[in-house]
Amino acid sequence: MEPLRIRRATMTDLDAIATHNLAIARETEGASLDRELVTEGVCAVLEESRGATRGTYFVAERDDAIVGQLLVTHEWSDWRNGWYWWIQSVYVAPRARRSGVYRALHAHVVEHARRAADVLAIKLYVDRDNRAARDTYAALGMKHARYDLYEIDLNRG
Ligand SMILES: CC(C)(COP(=O)(O)OP(=O)(O)OC[C@H]1O[C@@H](n2cnc3c(N)ncnc32)[C@H](O)[C@@H]1OP(=O)(O)O)[C@@H](O)C(=O)NCCC(=O)NCCS
């Protein structure tokens, strides 16, 4: 078995990432997302060759197959004059779980963030019923934040 390789995703990963996003929604929320809409959403991120204003996907690859992914998006903090990085769309293929794939993706993002002088923290939100993911984030040293999340859903897809 080849070693795990973490790399920035490209347009050739579009189908794999869209498929994984559908699988995350199914597995963690019992939700069935619209494949066309998800594919357009992933494509919008991947087509930015510069700037990465919508975000950056990282994928974990082993033996020429993508076994894990995450998306990093950015939020500016005017209070602290720097960036928060948000981790989204976390997925590891079931056959590859508990072998350190997410640990490697997490470490890759943390290292990138440490090298960028203006990143203040790395954050994410997780369904409170997703025990496996919550245990994973805690095991990797992430602390439970003191904020609750509020939203207004405009029901646009
Ligand atoms: C959560 C998820 C990303 C973990 O990925 P993974 O590659 O299996 O995680 P790792 O092997 O890197 O595990 C790192 C550590 O996290 C903890 N951990 C991982 N999976 C766990 C589980 N199912 N239960 C409890 N702890 C777990 C362990 O401490 C583990 O270290 P160890 O294996 O040495 O004990 C994966 O289960 C997944 O894709 N789940 C479905 C999608 C999902 O829930 N996404 C998150 C949405 S917010």
Side-chain angles (χ1 to χ4, degrees):
M1 194 163 56
E2 276 180 25
L4 196 66
R5 178 170 162 249
I6 310 290
R7 63 168 173 80
R8 199 176 281 247
T10 68
M11 199 52 92
T12 58
D13 304 310
L14 175 61
D15 280 349
I17 294 172
T19 299
H20 287 164
N21 284 352
L22 293 169
I24 301 168
R26 203 166 39 240
E27 180 173 344
T28 66
E29 301 184 19
S32 177
L33 302 185
D34 181 316
R35 177 175 277 275
E36 202 177 320
L37 195 63
V38 170
T39 302
E40 281 175 20
V42 175
C43 192
V45 175
L46 291 173
E47 73 189 358
E48 292 170 338
S49 58
R50 277 168 213 258
T53 54
R54 290 192 174 88
T56 305
Y57 286 105
F58 291 97
V59 291
E61 208 171 35
R62 185 184 275 152
D63 297 326
D64 291 330
I66 292 174
V67 291
Q69 67 170 49
L70 56 72
L71 170 64
V72 175
T73 58
H74 313 108
E75 175 193 353
W76 181 252
S77 170
D78 55 346
W79 283 16
R80 294 179 63 196
N81 190 32
W83 293 100
Y84 294 131
W85 281 9
W86 286 87
I87 292 179
Q88 294 175 222
S89 295
V90 166
Y91 189 70
V92 172
R95 69 182 185 288
R97 290 186 189 166
R98 296 310 286 264
S99 66
V101 172
Y102 185 70
R103 188 185 291 278
L105 280 161
H106 172 91
H108 190 83
V109 171
V110 171
E111 189 183 322
H112 262 261
R114 285 194 199 286
R115 272 196 265 124
D118 55 357
V119 181
L120 305 165
I122 299 168
K123 302 182 179 217
L124 55 80
Y125 47 86
V126 54
D127 190 303
R128 67 176 67 92
D129 294 333
N130 191 344
R131 189 80 235 176
R134 292 179 59 178
D135 285 350
T136 301
Y137 303 138
L140 296 178
M142 298 189 87
K143 303 279 180 279
H144 193 251
R146 56 185 294 273
Y147 297 101
D148 280 333
L149 189 66
Y150 286 76
E151 66 180 4
I152 294 175
D153 191 340
L154 300 179
N155 296 315
R156 288 182 170 160

